[in-house]
Amino acid sequence: MRPLLEQMVLRRAFRLPAPVGRPGDGAAVVRQLDSALLSAGFTLSGELRRHLAALDPGVLEPMAGRTLATVRELVGDHVRHNVYFKDFPAGVPDTVEFWHRCLTEALAGDRSRPGVLAQLRDGVLNLLSLPSYGTYRHTYEEMAAAHDELIAAAGDRITVIHLGGRLEEELSALYLSLAASPVPLGEDGLEDLRLLAGRCSRGPQPEAIPVRENRAVINAVRAAAGEELLLDTVTDVLRVACALSGASVTLQEPVRFRSLRRPLRRALLAGLDRVVADSPAKLADVHRHRERWKRLGERLHPHEHPRWPHAAEVFAVARGERKAPTFESRVERLLADGDAAGAAGLLASAPGRLYRALDRLVLAAGGEAEREAVLDAAVRVAPEVSGRVLLSVREHLENRTGRPGGRRVFLNRSGRAWATADTRPAMPRGTRERLAALADAELRRRLPRTGTVVVDPAVLDVALPLSGKDVSPGLGVLPRGSTSAVDGELLRFFTYWRQTERRTDHDLAALLLDEDYRTLTWLDWTALTAVGGAHSGDVTDAPEGASEFIDLRLASLEAKFVVPMVHVYSGEDFGQVAESFFGFMLRDAAQAGAPFEPRTVRMKSELRGPGRVALPLVFAHDGHGGWYARWMHVHLKGHPEANQAAGHRVSAGMLVRGVVERRSLTVRHLTGLLADNGVTVVPWDGGTAPDGPVTFVGLARPEGLHPEARVITPENLRDLVPA
């Protein structure tokens, strides 16, 4: 278990828990480890190097192997990336020429010729039936031998691994950070929290657990230990039951409840009884998940426990035997009657819901007096609204300017997206500005008023993470809406997948759009060469794993936007394959090297999500000769089979426009509020680390920070969100 937990800390914080063991001379092992790490784009900090060098080599060698394996997986270097065209990008033929060659080879083969001739007589040729199409024609070693070694460049990525504290200290700090997160975690974060909760249950606990999914994970551990559950709503109990059944606590997936031990059944029923007894109105929440409640009732047997009558009421509501008017229905009735002020007054008892409904309430208000009543309700409950909701509403108001031609992007909790024209009436400018000022004032009240914050300018345009559910884990991944500079001459995308059972074909494509988001051209298996770029070739079967690449020279592009896409053409989708990820590399024009060079990888993320078309990010020209990346993290539903760039260019263009033109709330906004509070906010010049116990906000932790400095990087950017 220790190696697993050590790797968790390393990938989440780029800190290596301080190894302990016999003293000795480990300098040689440290040099070997650092050399191997550099090849993958990582290095040890000076402090960590000195600490490791004082330990016995026998202690270091297992740790070194685990560390190297962890960072290689982070960057995508744990697998062998072969390419269909061995000399890629130099040896990529014209598409029609390549297809003709595959056909000629098939006609020359005695076994393949009859089938091909039959297809030609019918007038439709299936490329997948040609023996030389879609499968590697050379080994990885033959491909690697065809490429020169990578020439190191100053712009190559180097990620520093720092010395951490003792393992238990690091685990406790990570547990507290995840448990107290003010924004929802992704599935990987919830899984890490589950492991940590069991390990850290007897240590320090967070003062508050604001996110209900996090609370459910911790409650499952508390239930197993016989401790009292932390419950506020009936849905909290349902989430705990899901966790105890090994299902997702997000309530977004089907669940099959397990038969629970009697002590666990009693704990759930007692908690449910307590919640309803304290607030009978919360029975209305049962309607949202009534089928799940029916199934859970079959496992809990509430009729066998008459001492908890209020718990039995929950299941009576689920079965329709008792009425419990929902909160939403009462609000809707008031709005249908034209009583926006009354609806705001009712919603004031649920401050988060009131703030999420402000746009609708303002537009529904029949006059100035009613609008003022809505604003008064917002002022009254502002201190009770969570920081995440305040930031979300503030971002929403930033985009309600009513500019013509605007687009709305709709996203569900798992990242599936669609876009449409924004036909909403404009919000009155004065009202919008008052609400924005109200949100800023409340956020400012919760932020520190003293201290020094040192900010790396490169992080200012990173969006504040309002949810972690739709952001896949990986290296260099930023929240949706973030903007980051692209400082290389050669842009190379890559995707890798390994099928589980069925033959599976994932296709990498790049869509090139003009300034009006119209398609200029694309690169994929149907267009292997275009606009000076090249596709590495179509691989259609991946029992041992397969990779595809796209190479683009940015200076030669006339496009305004470059949109990398990964399509499920056939077989298993992103959630079914054994492994699937996407990333991009940046290189100087003079750099050679193999198609995949880990130290040039700037971003690598797992491909997950419900759709069959993934759009991780978009690259945009800044109008001054440079490029930047805009992070999307969205999926299109796609078709069951045969997804390709040509079929999704319109919907992809609409989505790109919606994401690019949306104004995200960034670190810049929050540091501005800190400065208004009197906090000293100074830019970091990238040189010597700042002195003293400052708060440092940047893309990576610099060496030499004060031991008591607070460090905020993309890995824990959620800690910036006020409670």
Side-chain angles (χ1 to χ4, degrees):
M1 179 60 76
R2 180 185 174 90
L4 178 64
L5 296 170
E6 186 181 86
Q7 292 169 22
M8 182 194 301
V9 174
L10 178 57
R11 62 181 166 80
R12 282 201 166 271
F14 294 112
R15 289 164 65 85
L16 186 64
V20 294
R22 299 183 306 274
D25 184 3
V29 176
V30 172
R31 286 194 298 270
Q32 293 171 358
L33 174 59
D34 212 23
S35 177
L37 288 171
L38 280 170
S39 69
F42 294 83
T43 189
L44 305 172
S45 71
E47 184 183 16
L48 178 55
R49 196 178 296 115
R50 289 188 295 272
H51 179 88
L52 297 179
L55 296 175
D56 185 90
V59 175
L60 294 179
E61 287 170 357
M63 177 277 302
R66 294 193 301 268
T67 300
L68 187 58
T70 300
V71 300
R72 279 183 169 164
E73 185 172 358
L74 269 175
V75 81
D77 192 36
H78 61 300
V79 298
R80 289 185 161 191
H81 294 274
N82 204 349
V83 286
Y84 183 89
F85 298 114
K86 184 170 63 174
D87 299 324
F88 170 82
V92 180
D94 173 77
T95 309
V96 176
E97 172 193 331
F98 167 63
W99 291 351
H100 183 268
R101 188 173 73 200
C102 291
L103 176 59
T104 302
E105 292 173 353
L107 290 172
D110 293 337
R111 297 181 60 182
S112 56
R113 186 186 308 113
V116 173
L117 290 174
Q119 290 185 62
L120 291 175
R121 282 193 295 269
D122 292 338
V124 178
L125 177 65
N126 180 7
L127 288 173
L128 299 181
S129 69
L130 304 180
S132 61
Y133 187 89
T135 56
Y136 290 122
R137 314 303 291 177
H138 51 264
T139 66
Y140 171 84
E141 288 76 13
E142 290 170 337
M143 182 277 298
H147 293 268
D148 297 328
E149 290 188 11
L150 178 72
I151 303 170
D156 290 348
R157 176 193 52 80
I158 296 294
T159 302
V160 179
I161 301 173
H162 296 269
L163 175 65
R166 292 184 300 108
L167 179 60
E168 295 304 323
E169 295 172 350
E170 293 292 331
L171 294 177
S172 178
L174 184 54
Y175 166 67
L176 292 173
S177 175
L178 293 176
S181 171
V183 301
L185 303 172
E187 284 292 345
D188 63 304
L190 289 172
E191 178 59 23
D192 286 349
L193 178 59
R194 184 187 66 79
L195 291 174
L196 291 168
R199 180 93 177 196
C200 303
S201 60
R202 299 186 182 278
Q205 299 297 309
E207 294 182 5
I209 307 173
V211 177
R212 297 191 182 280
E213 288 94 332
N214 300 356
R215 194 182 306 171
V217 169
I218 294 170
N219 270 331
V221 174
R222 295 174 68 93
E227 299 177 13
E228 185 177 351
L229 302 183
L230 308 173
L231 304 172
D232 181 51
T233 68
V234 295
T235 309
D236 286 344
V237 179
L238 187 62
R239 293 185 195 275
V240 178
C242 289
L244 292 172
S245 298
S248 172
V249 297
T250 62
L251 303 182
Q252 298 301 304
E253 301 173 6
V255 55
R256 186 169 187 171
F257 292 110
R258 296 173 180 169
S259 295
L260 301 175
R261 293 183 292 109
R262 186 175 294 273
L264 293 176
R265 296 202 304 269
R266 287 200 296 261
L268 293 178
L269 289 170
L272 202 55
D273 188 83
R274 187 171 64 252
V275 169
V276 177
D278 290 344
S279 179
K282 292 181 179 179
L283 283 171
D285 292 340
V286 173
H287 294 287
R288 294 184 182 181
H289 307 286
R290 59 184 304 173
E291 292 304 319
R292 284 191 173 95
W293 281 114
K294 291 178 185 178
R295 303 287 80 79
L296 181 58
E298 296 169 359
R299 297 296 188 184
L300 296 185
H301 311 296
H303 59 280
E304 297 178 1
H305 302 276
R307 58 177 164 162
W308 294 311
H310 299 292
E313 295 177 34
V314 170
F315 302 98
V317 171
R319 294 190 300 268
E321 298 169 0
R322 172 174 175 166
K323 292 186 178 180
T326 66
F327 189 80
E328 288 79 6
S329 67
R330 294 159 63 196
V331 172
E332 291 299 327
R333 191 177 304 114
L334 288 168
L335 287 172
D337 293 340
D339 188 1
L346 178 59
L347 283 165
S349 63
R353 294 187 187 182
L354 170 63
Y355 265 66
R356 291 188 181 96
L358 278 175
D359 195 322
R360 186 182 179 194
L361 292 171
V362 167
L363 295 181
E368 190 63 31
E370 198 165 26
R371 191 177 298 124
E372 285 298 322
V374 172
L375 293 175
D376 287 344
V379 171
R380 288 197 310 273
V381 304
E384 303 173 52
V385 180
S386 73
R388 181 172 70 95
V389 172
L390 284 171
L391 289 169
S392 179
V393 171
R394 183 65 181 82
E395 182 175 282
H396 172 79
L397 294 169
E398 193 74 14
N399 291 278
R400 284 292 277 126
T401 57
R403 60 183 184 276
R407 315 294 296 180
R408 294 184 72 184
V409 176
F410 294 90
L411 289 157
N412 64 17
R413 294 185 179 183
S414 53
R416 185 178 291 174
W418 64 99
T420 186
D422 189 351
T423 59
R424 293 171 297 179
M427 181 180 285
R429 179 176 177 180
T431 301
R432 181 175 64 84
E433 290 177 349
R434 286 175 62 186
L435 287 172
L438 171 62
D440 280 344
E442 181 57 32
L443 289 166
R444 196 180 298 114
R445 185 184 67 82
R446 303 182 191 188
L447 292 171
R449 296 184 176 273
T450 59
T452 299
V453 177
V454 180
V455 183
D456 180 355
V459 82
L460 287 174
D461 292 322
V462 172
L464 295 171
L466 302 181
S467 176
K469 289 185 177 181
D470 49 16
V471 178
S472 297
L475 176 79
V477 180
L478 298 178
R480 179 186 293 120
S482 297
T483 298
S484 58
V486 173
D487 53 7
E489 299 169 309
L490 183 75
L491 177 62
R492 182 170 294 175
F493 312 132
F494 61 90
T495 191
Y496 172 90
W497 74 101
R498 178 166 55 87
Q499 64 206 39
T500 303
E501 296 176 347
R502 293 183 291 152
R503 179 171 180 152
T504 296
D505 181 5
H506 287 189
D507 289 329
L508 181 64
L511 199 62
L512 277 66
L513 310 177
D514 65 13
E515 63 276 4
D516 294 319
Y517 305 93
R518 295 175 301 197
T519 302
L520 295 173
T521 187
W522 60 83
L523 277 160
D524 68 353
W525 64 272
T526 69
L528 297 173
T529 57
V531 294
H535 190 287
S536 67
D538 187 19
V539 184
T540 61
D541 194 16
E544 304 299 326
S547 302
E548 292 185 8
F549 296 80
I550 286 179
D551 210 62
L552 289 168
R553 293 191 179 272
L554 292 174
S556 65
L557 297 181
E558 296 182 359
K560 172 68 175 178
F561 303 101
V562 177
V563 189
M565 310 169 71
V566 183
H567 301 90
V568 178
Y569 187 85
S570 63
E572 300 164 350
D573 62 27
F574 300 122
Q576 296 170 327
V577 290
E579 188 173 8
S580 178
F581 57 81
F582 165 87
F584 74 87
M585 293 173 272
L586 291 172
R587 303 191 189 191
D588 292 340
Q591 284 183 288
F596 182 87
E597 290 287 358
R599 64 183 295 159
T600 67
V601 172
R602 300 304 174 91
M603 169 267 187
K604 174 257 180 182
S605 71
E606 305 298 318
L607 282 177
R608 300 177 184 174
R612 293 177 72 84
V613 182
L615 288 80
L617 73 173
V618 57
F619 295 86
H621 195 276
D622 64 8
H624 305 287
W627 289 79
Y628 64 90
R630 182 83 163 180
W631 300 78
M632 295 180 62
H633 301 298
V634 298
H635 283 78
L636 296 173
K637 181 180 180 180
H639 309 296
E641 300 287 336
N643 292 289
Q644 57 188 43
H648 297 292
R649 61 185 187 274
V650 175
S651 54
M654 293 173 64
L655 262 182
V656 168
R657 179 177 179 180
V659 173
V660 168
E661 295 184 353
R662 181 173 177 81
R663 299 173 184 173
S664 298
L665 220 57
T666 63
V667 174
R668 188 187 305 276
H669 185 84
L670 213 56
T671 55
L673 296 179
L674 284 168
D676 292 343
N677 265 4
V679 173
T680 302
V681 179
V682 295
W684 182 54
D685 61 6
T688 304
D691 295 328
V694 301
T695 295
F696 178 85
V697 185
L699 293 178
R701 179 189 187 117
E703 288 200 63
L705 278 177
H706 190 278
E708 297 180 12
R710 183 188 182 202
V711 181
I712 304 291
T713 60
E715 290 71 36
N716 65 333
L717 196 63
R718 60 183 177 273
D719 292 347
L720 276 182
V721 176

